[in-house]
Amino acid sequence: MKKVNIKNFKKTLSKFSTGITVICIKNNNTIYGKTVNSFNSLSLNPPMVLFSLGNYSSSINKFLKTKFLSINILSNKQKKLSDNFASSIPKLENINFIEGKNKTAIIPNCIANLECKLIDKIKKGDHIIFVCEILELQSNDKLKPLVYFNSKYN
Ligand SMILES: Cc1cc2nc3c(=O)[nH]c(=O)nc-3n(C[C@H](O)[C@H](O)[C@H](O)COP(=O)(O)O)c2cc1C
């Protein structure tokens, strides 16, 4: 075993395969989205999920203020969307967002979508854990997931 530093911490955690989500919020009718792989399930009853965002993110204050959000789980055909929403100024013009029941912006053609209510925010280290209750959801059995492993798409 080795002592932990940022380099070996990142490398070790990159051995944990994840899916990729894009999490979207609407603030004054402007949509903000972010590529996030720190997403996970939290509770079955009530149904809850969580994810974390860096407190240094340019749009963190918008995410902290939101009441509702969409979590869009990407398929293996949506790598470009993942790259787009990992950039600091994502392009929105070619995305035909669908409006959710709670006025969230939902990305079409994903392997799954969740519409959520933000119920808690917990500051830990340099990240903030967002705890969300699921209000609506859907999934598509015909698509395959976009998988992230070893700091690369697989
Ligand atoms: C595969 C992948 C997963 C990511 N997961 C997260 C995450 O879980 N939390 C996070 O805060 N940023 C994550 N990011 C980084 C953000 O998508 C974004 O690049 C970062 O917030 C910087 O942009 P900003 O400062 O404009 O917000 C991820 C990026 C990639 C490519």
Side-chain angles (χ1 to χ4, degrees):
M1 297 288 275
K2 292 175 186 163
K3 285 219 161 165
V4 60
N5 58 43
I6 290 182
K7 198 176 162 205
N8 63 20
F9 174 65
K10 281 187 172 176
K11 186 177 173 192
T12 304
L13 272 287
S14 77
K15 305 301 178 194
F16 183 61
S17 308
T18 67
I20 305 256
T21 71
V22 172
I23 300 189
C24 295
I25 58 164
K26 247 191 215 170
N27 184 284
N28 292 330
N29 274 338
T30 304
I31 295 170
Y32 296 84
K34 196 173 284 296
T35 298
V36 165
N37 72 343
S38 57
F39 166 76
N40 220 319
S41 62
L42 174 64
S43 160
L44 286 175
N45 189 16
M48 293 194 284
V49 292
L50 58 79
F51 63 91
S52 65
L53 294 182
N55 60 16
Y56 41 79
S57 161
S58 54
S59 49
I60 192 69
N61 287 330
K62 310 258 180 346
F63 279 84
L64 286 169
K65 273 189 227 149
T66 201
K67 284 195 180 127
F68 298 102
L69 50 89
S70 72
I71 301 178
N72 305 279
I73 303 176
L74 300 188
S75 85
N76 61 353
K77 295 175 186 158
Q78 294 176 308
K79 183 179 160 308
K80 276 190 187 161
L81 274 178
S82 177
D83 288 337
N84 182 40
F85 284 103
S87 75
S88 28
I89 309 174
K91 294 194 175 80
L92 302 175
E93 52 273 16
N94 294 326
I95 304 169
N96 296 318
F97 289 100
I98 300 161
E99 189 167 275
K101 280 216 173 123
N102 298 281
K103 299 207 183 302
T104 55
I106 293 172
I107 299 178
N109 307 316
C110 290
I111 191 165
N113 306 88
L114 311 173
E115 189 174 30
C116 299
K117 183 179 173 189
L118 182 56
I119 57 170
D120 207 358
K121 294 157 272 192
I122 304 158
K123 292 183 183 179
K124 285 289 163 200
D126 58 4
H127 274 62
I128 300 163
I129 303 165
F130 288 72
V131 178
C132 310
E133 184 165 350
I134 306 168
L135 305 174
E136 303 267 322
L137 42 70
Q138 64 181 4
S139 63
N140 184 330
D141 288 333
K142 292 190 178 126
L143 295 173
K144 294 205 166 68
L146 183 60
V147 175
Y148 201 65
F149 167 70
N150 236 355
S151 308
K152 287 190 291 262
Y153 299 107
N154 281 257

